Amino acid sequence: MASGTEHTLTLDTINPHLKIVKYALRGPIPIRAAEIEKELKKGVEKPFKEVIKLNIGDGQAMGQRPITFIRQILALVTYPRLLNNDHFPKDTKERARAVLEACKGRSIGSYSESVGIEVIRKQVALYIKERDGGIACDWNNIVLCSGACDGIRNIIKLMKCEVDGKKPGIMIPVPQFPLYAALLTEFDIERIDYYLDETNNWALDISELQEVIDEARKVCHPRALVVMNPGNPTGQVLPRENIEDIIKFAYKEKLFIIADEVYQLNVYGEGSKFFSFKKVMMELGAPYSKMELASFMSCSKGYMGECGLRGGYSEIVNFNPEAKAVYLKSISTKLSPTGLGQTCMYAVVHPPKKGEPSFDEFMTEKNALDEEFKLKAKITELKLNAIEGIKCNPVQGAIYAFPQIILPQKFIEAAKNKGKVPDAIYSMELLENTGICVIPGSGFGQAPGTYHFRMTILAPTEKLKQVLDKIKKFHEDLYEKYN
Amino acid sequence: MASGTEHTLTLDTINPHLKIVKYALRGPIPIRAAEIEKELKKGVEKPFKEVIKLNIGDGQAMGQRPITFIRQILALVTYPRLLNNDHFPKDTKERARAVLEACKGRSIGSYSESVGIEVIRKQVALYIKERDGGIACDWNNIVLCSGACDGIRNIIKLMKCEVDGKKPGIMIPVPQFPLYAALLTEFDIERIDYYLDETNNWALDISELQEVIDEARKVCHPRALVVMNPGNPTGQVLPRENIEDIIKFAYKEKLFIIADEVYQLNVYGEGSKFFSFKKVMMELGAPYSKMELASFMSCSKGYMGECGLRGGYSEIVNFNPEAKAVYLKSISTKLSPTGLGQTCMYAVVHPPKKGEPSFDEFMTEKNALDEEFKLKAKITELKLNAIEGIKCNPVQGAIYAFPQIILPQKFIEAAKNKGKVPDAIYSMELLENTGICVIPGSGFGQAPGTYHFRMTILAPTEKLKQVLDKIKKFHEDLYEKYN
């Protein structure tokens, strides 16, 4: 503000928790990438012609084509006059009509219930039941949300409460999807980091969990355990036995399980299979089958990749009824999740069946994407591991590789002398030299003395190969320079 | 949870601020209304055939038809194959193409920047400049959001900070849109209620503001003043002089202005005109033109009524740059507002111009809605005031009437003897006897000893007349019974 007038909202008077939030996904490297794009447009000379954004899990931004079936339903719901148009197959019209009939005033432009449209919640429950091999799913436990992040936020903020005079704490993996650390900082909940075991394909090591929680109990009251499966940024798919051990650990330590399962449709690893935490919990039987759990899913990932539509759901299991009432009230102040995001979720959980007119096209599009993901996951793993000084666990799921980079000692020292984090410098130099934008491992957390970066596998296959070759060249040049 | 297993999340261990949040708009009366609807479907006998929901400002739920121009753009963006379809006018295609070209990967399914799509932010800035008669608007100050509620939440949470060792406080009107009280409770910010002056058409009375803030300073640090214009639930449109006085008061008291202007396109009163707080602030000149302000707009209200799409924007003015950086970082953890909500906002701020192919149809649809709103506002005011024991200020704007109901003393006593709020009983009895669902004044706050209800003016005109006749009959019967 001009002299003579004081700002009321300054660094000294702003929410201190928001001030210290860190969110690497929109940090200095993506910001610099956007600047470089503008420089390229202006004709500034660079050793590359375009910025390749491997920094964000956004399939359609990288050229992934939306699924016709989904988009047809969305167009019909948005502009119902198209229900008379012969271009649109009967099964897309049936689904669009089912949504519209469930909307107040038969319009997607009306508010839905804050928990979402009933017919969609019911369809989600059917999807989950089928996914979990027949284990019951009560649609009253399904809460639609504007993207999984919104759903996760709504659950985590419930935990903000001192217990026995102690600050609440939540266990989160390291490396982690940075949303979790950001939310814990925002809500002033103690962050209890546990390391994923890189030598065991990023599994959770129960003795590590035990050590960490014992230490944490000295300063806070651990309330919940966040598990991400398949993992972001780490790309692992947890084996069933690991999930069983995690559930038993959570039971013993009285932890609420927060299962981030948004990549459940992104599973490629040979022998890898997705098991939901709920399924395993239920199959373990009592007392585990009575534990509290919240699981999240999104329209943004998988073959659909509809990030911009903001569709997602939460399944909440075994809630205390009074706590559930507070939760439902708290989301009611957000009015309702977006109707079109909900519709997208409906299309995802209610795909065309064999015999329906959209079936063939849908399967062709979906299978092509799934095959491509699988191929790219393998290419990424193989090509990264072919670089001297880089080692990468198999990309079994999700859409990321998180290779460990062995940095020359001189490079590390040079970075530290400048007060910089070595892998941040590495990622920035990669960007400036090649146009490739990745996120340094330090943005996700990593074991001390190790360095990583996260890259998505979302570039088109041929481009992905070129990118990996460029990373190889960059890495070799760096070795030559510093060794 | 079953015996032997304890819940970790209970009323004792849940976020205590969420526990005490109140949100009348989704409280017992709307919940009972939904139950009655189900009873009617099952064939339960009632003295009415349908529930008429005058409880929520949701035009399309009440039969308001969406604007063709808006929905065509949304359909084109969603399903770009329609860009080759002759049914869609050239101007809708131009706008759809502009949005798609600004999207990453040219798809609405990609994440946008967390502040929204640049071309849309720029168009919003042009709209504001035109709205305010040429006063500059910097598009860098426009932040798109998933409905105005999301934008308001993002600003209010910045204020959660002790200042000079005192708890922060925010001034909110009474009666108020219950979101504000809910947010202040959630964020544990002191709620500083000021009464709107019912005898002066719900204007803000500066001496009341002064008295309230002087008192509040004893217990907290007042940081911001929320003003809603046009008002919800009160339906007033503030005269320019009142806005000037409010700005001067806020300047003197060093308050950040939070201007909820989501009903700016809903103005009907004879002689009423919408002045944005920003315009008045700028025209007052320094030092007022340097004050901090956040203003909100939505796609959910006005002639568009697109509640379900969750589109909105915030304009933030004169922010301290460091505070702005924290604000922008804090919204980045929410990834991005919905692309289709943003597209809807684009259509709203970029309507067809004279000469463009959609112009005539757009104006016909829009004018019909505006005329109908105007007529319904007048009918509501006149018919309510024709009821003995009800008085209602003119419905100058927004989509609500907030009549004062004079209740028989015996009725009040009977309610109080049951430990109930009289206007809550009144509204519940109205619902049970007539199927008409309104929200009691106590859900919004009101001067002690006065009673009100809020009803929307959104029912179709003929039905609205019938509803008002039913309210008359109900009120007269009640008088007969209790007087």
Side-chain angles (χ1 to χ4, degrees):
Chain A
M1 216 175 278
S3 57
T5 321
E6 281 167 39
H7 281 109
T8 67
L9 191 68
T10 66
L11 277 194
D12 291 333
T13 62
I14 207 163
N15 184 328
H17 303 297
L18 293 179
K19 193 162 72 179
I20 57 171
V21 160
K22 281 194 184 135
Y23 196 59
L25 296 188
R26 312 246 163 156
I29 290 175
I31 289 169
R32 178 66 190 134
E35 284 169 9
I36 291 177
E37 276 194 317
K38 287 191 177 170
E39 291 171 15
L40 284 171
K41 266 193 192 161
K42 283 184 197 151
V44 177
E45 282 283 323
K46 300 272 175 194
F48 49 86
K49 292 215 170 72
E50 58 167 343
V51 173
I52 300 159
K53 291 189 207 142
L54 306 185
N55 56 302
I56 183 158
D58 184 349
Q60 296 191 21
M62 295 304 288
Q64 181 182 329
R65 286 189 56 195
I67 297 289
T68 304
F69 173 77
I70 294 177
R71 292 304 189 93
Q72 285 178 334
I73 293 171
L74 288 168
L76 289 165
V77 161
T78 307
Y79 192 57
R81 221 176 290 185
L82 294 170
L83 287 165
N84 301 319
N85 185 315
D86 292 339
H87 170 78
F88 293 84
K90 189 163 157 279
D91 49 351
T92 62
K93 289 181 183 174
E94 281 167 6
R95 283 159 179 79
R97 283 205 183 91
V99 171
L100 288 174
E101 272 161 32
C103 290
K104 296 186 183 98
R106 302 200 173 198
S107 174
I108 201 71
S110 57
Y111 290 118
S112 73
E113 302 303 313
S114 22
V115 286
I117 298 171
E118 190 169 307
V119 68
I120 302 179
R121 297 168 72 201
K122 287 178 172 166
Q123 196 68 46
V124 168
L126 289 174
Y127 160 84
I128 292 174
K129 186 177 170 190
E130 196 180 321
R131 179 197 73 188
D132 289 345
I135 287 171
C137 177
D138 181 349
W139 68 272
N140 289 294
N141 290 342
I142 304 302
V143 177
L144 298 169
C145 43
S146 293
C149 287
D150 178 43
I152 293 166
R153 176 179 283 274
N154 292 340
I155 289 293
I156 288 197
K157 75 175 167 193
L158 300 176
M159 309 282 170
K160 182 178 165 46
C161 179
E162 284 200 356
V163 184
D164 301 332
K166 275 187 173 169
K167 191 178 167 183
I170 293 184
M171 301 184 77
I172 62 172
V174 178
Q176 54 113 14
F177 174 46
L179 175 74
Y180 289 101
L183 287 177
L184 298 187
T185 306
E186 178 173 337
F187 295 130
D188 193 23
I189 294 172
E190 192 74 16
R191 171 180 161 178
I192 310 170
D193 288 351
Y194 65 85
Y195 285 108
L196 297 173
D197 183 357
E198 185 165 13
T199 63
N200 187 20
N201 202 23
W202 301 113
L204 279 72
D205 175 352
I206 305 301
S207 63
E208 160 76 6
L209 294 177
Q210 191 64 58
E211 206 170 295
V212 160
I213 202 170
D214 290 344
E215 198 58 34
R217 286 201 190 280
K218 296 176 188 163
V219 296
C220 70
H221 182 92
R223 306 202 55 175
L225 170 68
V226 171
V227 199
M228 191 154 193
N229 179 43
N232 172 8
T234 37
Q236 85 283 22
V237 177
L238 295 179
R240 190 185 169 107
E241 311 74 61
N242 197 215
I243 296 175
E244 289 180 0
D245 292 343
I246 295 163
I247 291 170
K248 289 175 183 169
F249 168 80
Y251 176 77
K252 183 172 76 72
E253 299 291 340
K254 294 197 170 72
L255 298 173
F256 182 113
I257 295 176
I258 296 175
D260 185 334
E261 303 180 319
V262 299
Y263 293 99
Q264 60 190 259
L265 298 181
N266 295 91
V267 175
Y268 332 107
E270 284 158 40
S272 290
K273 196 183 159 192
F274 171 73
F275 294 95
S276 75
F277 269 77
K278 181 180 160 206
K279 177 183 167 73
V280 177
M281 218 170 80
M282 293 303 163
E283 290 179 349
L284 280 175
Y288 308 108
S289 56
K290 304 292 180 191
M291 289 173 68
E292 296 150 285
L293 164 93
S295 160
F296 304 95
M297 176 58 175
S298 164
C299 298
S300 304
K301 313 300 172 184
Y303 63 87
M304 48 283 188
E306 296 282 11
C307 302
L309 297 183
R310 316 308 301 124
Y313 74 73
S314 317
E315 184 188 11
I316 57 166
V317 181
N318 290 329
F319 266 44
N320 167 293
E322 292 169 326
K324 183 174 174 184
V326 172
Y327 166 65
L328 295 179
K329 183 182 65 175
S330 76
I331 57 171
S332 78
T333 65
K334 295 181 149 190
L335 303 187
S336 64
T338 158
L340 291 167
Q342 294 185 60
T343 304
C344 182
M345 186 47 87
Y346 184 65
V348 170
V349 295
H350 195 15
K353 291 192 194 70
K354 201 171 167 92
E356 287 191 306
S358 299
F359 182 75
D360 289 343
E361 186 182 36
F362 173 80
M363 290 308 289
T364 305
E365 292 179 357
K366 177 180 177 300
N367 288 341
L369 282 165
D370 286 344
E371 282 307 310
E372 205 188 329
F373 278 134
K374 193 170 176 176
L375 179 66
K376 292 196 287 194
K378 200 71 204 170
I379 290 172
T380 303
E381 176 196 336
L382 292 177
K383 278 194 165 267
L384 283 172
N385 282 318
I387 304 171
E388 200 198 323
I390 289 191
K391 45 180 190 172
C392 185
N393 277 324
V395 182
Q396 299 173 318
I399 47 182
Y400 312 99
F402 195 66
Q404 182 168 164
I405 46 178
I406 317 295
L407 294 174
Q409 202 52 41
K410 278 189 199 157
F411 180 89
I412 294 171
E413 278 160 19
K416 288 188 174 167
N417 288 339
K418 286 183 219 152
K420 303 277 186 183
V421 181
D423 56 12
I425 297 271
Y426 180 92
S427 302
M428 191 63 96
E429 287 192 4
L430 180 68
L431 173 65
E432 297 285 358
N433 282 284
T434 66
I436 298 167
C437 182
V438 299
I439 305 280
S442 44
F444 305 90
Q446 52 201 349
T450 67
Y451 303 103
H452 301 77
F453 63 82
R454 186 192 80 170
M455 60 173 281
T456 72
I457 60 166
L458 295 171
T461 310
E462 282 315 304
K463 178 165 276 182
L464 182 66
K465 288 182 189 167
Q466 293 164 17
V467 163
L468 289 161
D469 289 339
K470 281 190 185 178
I471 292 175
K472 181 173 160 69
K473 170 120 193 1
F474 170 81
H475 197 80
E476 286 171 353
D477 289 354
L478 184 123
Y479 262 47
E480 202 157 301
K481 191 171 163 194
Y482 285 90
N483 270 345
Chain B
M1 216 175 279
S3 57
T5 320
E6 282 167 38
H7 280 110
T8 68
L9 192 68
T10 66
L11 277 194
D12 290 334
T13 61
I14 207 163
N15 184 327
H17 303 298
L18 293 178
K19 193 163 70 178
I20 57 171
V21 159
K22 281 192 184 139
Y23 196 59
L25 295 189
R26 312 242 164 160
I29 290 175
I31 288 170
R32 177 68 190 132
E35 284 170 9
I36 291 178
E37 276 195 315
K38 288 191 177 170
E39 291 171 15
L40 284 172
K41 265 192 193 162
K42 283 186 199 151
V44 177
E45 282 284 322
K46 300 271 174 191
F48 49 86
K49 292 216 171 70
E50 58 166 344
V51 172
I52 301 159
K53 290 186 208 145
L54 306 184
N55 57 302
I56 182 157
D58 183 349
Q60 296 190 21
M62 296 302 290
Q64 181 181 328
R65 287 190 54 196
I67 297 287
T68 304
F69 173 77
I70 294 177
R71 292 304 189 93
Q72 285 178 334
I73 293 171
L74 288 168
L76 290 164
V77 162
T78 307
Y79 192 59
R81 221 176 290 186
L82 295 170
L83 287 164
N84 302 319
N85 184 316
D86 293 339
H87 169 78
F88 292 84
K90 190 164 157 281
D91 49 353
T92 61
K93 290 181 182 172
E94 281 168 7
R95 283 160 178 81
R97 283 204 184 91
V99 171
L100 288 174
E101 272 161 33
C103 290
K104 296 186 184 99
R106 301 198 174 199
S107 173
I108 202 71
S110 57
Y111 290 119
S112 74
E113 302 303 313
S114 25
V115 287
I117 298 170
E118 190 169 307
V119 67
I120 302 179
R121 298 168 72 201
K122 287 179 172 165
Q123 196 68 44
V124 167
L126 290 175
Y127 159 84
I128 292 175
K129 186 177 171 189
E130 196 180 320
R131 179 198 72 187
D132 289 345
I135 287 171
C137 177
D138 182 350
W139 68 270
N140 288 295
N141 291 340
I142 304 301
V143 176
L144 298 170
C145 42
S146 293
C149 286
D150 178 44
I152 293 166
R153 175 179 283 272
N154 292 340
I155 289 294
I156 287 196
K157 75 175 166 193
L158 300 176
M159 308 283 171
K160 181 177 166 46
C161 180
E162 283 201 356
V163 184
D164 302 332
K166 276 185 173 170
K167 190 178 169 184
I170 293 184
M171 301 183 77
I172 61 172
V174 178
Q176 55 112 16
F177 173 46
L179 175 75
Y180 289 100
L183 287 176
L184 297 186
T185 306
E186 179 174 337
F187 295 130
D188 193 24
I189 294 173
E190 191 76 17
R191 171 180 162 177
I192 310 171
D193 288 351
Y194 65 86
Y195 284 109
L196 298 173
D197 184 357
E198 186 166 12
T199 63
N200 187 20
N201 202 24
W202 301 113
L204 280 72
D205 175 351
I206 305 301
S207 63
E208 160 77 6
L209 294 177
Q210 191 65 58
E211 208 169 293
V212 161
I213 202 171
D214 290 344
E215 197 58 34
R217 285 201 191 282
K218 295 175 189 163
V219 296
C220 70
H221 182 92
R223 305 202 56 175
L225 170 67
V226 171
V227 199
M228 191 153 194
N229 178 43
N232 172 9
T234 37
Q236 85 283 21
V237 177
L238 295 179
R240 189 185 168 106
E241 311 76 60
N242 196 219
I243 297 175
E244 289 181 359
D245 291 343
I246 295 163
I247 291 169
K248 288 175 182 169
F249 168 80
Y251 176 76
K252 184 170 77 66
E253 299 291 340
K254 296 198 168 73
L255 298 173
F256 183 112
I257 296 176
I258 295 175
D260 184 335
E261 303 180 320
V262 298
Y263 293 99
Q264 60 191 261
L265 298 180
N266 294 91
V267 176
Y268 332 107
E270 285 159 39
S272 289
K273 197 182 156 190
F274 171 74
F275 294 95
S276 75
F277 269 77
K278 181 182 162 205
K279 177 183 166 74
V280 175
M281 220 172 77
M282 292 303 163
E283 289 180 349
L284 281 174
Y288 308 110
S289 56
K290 304 292 181 192
M291 290 172 68
E292 295 150 284
L293 165 93
S295 159
F296 304 95
M297 177 58 176
S298 164
C299 299
S300 305
K301 314 298 172 185
Y303 63 87
M304 47 284 187
E306 296 283 12
C307 302
L309 297 182
R310 315 310 299 127
Y313 74 73
S314 316
E315 184 187 10
I316 56 165
V317 181
N318 292 327
F319 265 45
N320 165 293
E322 291 169 327
K324 184 175 173 183
V326 173
Y327 165 65
L328 295 179
K329 184 183 63 175
S330 75
I331 58 172
S332 78
T333 64
K334 294 180 150 193
L335 303 187
S336 64
T338 157
L340 290 167
Q342 294 185 60
T343 304
C344 182
M345 187 46 88
Y346 184 65
V348 170
V349 295
H350 196 14
K353 290 192 194 71
K354 203 175 165 89
E356 287 191 307
S358 299
F359 182 76
D360 289 343
E361 186 182 36
F362 174 80
M363 289 308 288
T364 305
E365 291 178 357
K366 177 180 178 298
N367 288 341
L369 282 165
D370 286 343
E371 283 305 310
E372 204 188 331
F373 278 134
K374 194 170 175 174
L375 178 65
K376 292 195 286 195
K378 200 70 203 172
I379 290 171
T380 305
E381 176 197 337
L382 293 177
K383 279 196 165 268
L384 285 172
N385 282 317
I387 304 172
E388 200 197 323
I390 290 191
K391 45 183 191 172
C392 183
N393 277 325
V395 182
Q396 299 175 319
I399 48 182
Y400 311 99
F402 195 67
Q404 183 170 161
I405 45 178
I406 317 297
L407 293 173
Q409 202 52 40
K410 279 189 201 157
F411 181 91
I412 295 170
E413 280 160 20
K416 288 186 175 169
N417 287 340
K418 286 183 222 153
K420 302 277 185 183
V421 181
D423 55 13
I425 297 273
Y426 181 94
S427 301
M428 192 62 96
E429 288 192 3
L430 180 67
L431 173 64
E432 297 285 358
N433 282 285
T434 66
I436 299 168
C437 181
V438 300
I439 306 278
S442 43
F444 305 90
Q446 53 201 349
T450 68
Y451 304 103
H452 301 77
F453 63 80
R454 185 191 82 169
M455 60 173 280
T456 71
I457 60 166
L458 294 172
T461 310
E462 281 316 303
K463 178 164 276 183
L464 182 66
K465 287 182 188 166
Q466 293 163 17
V467 163
L468 289 160
D469 289 339
K470 282 189 184 177
I471 293 176
K472 182 175 161 68
K473 172 120 193 355
F474 171 79
H475 196 81
E476 286 170 353
D477 289 353
L478 186 123
Y479 262 47
E480 203 158 300
K481 190 170 163 195
Y482 284 91
N483 271 344

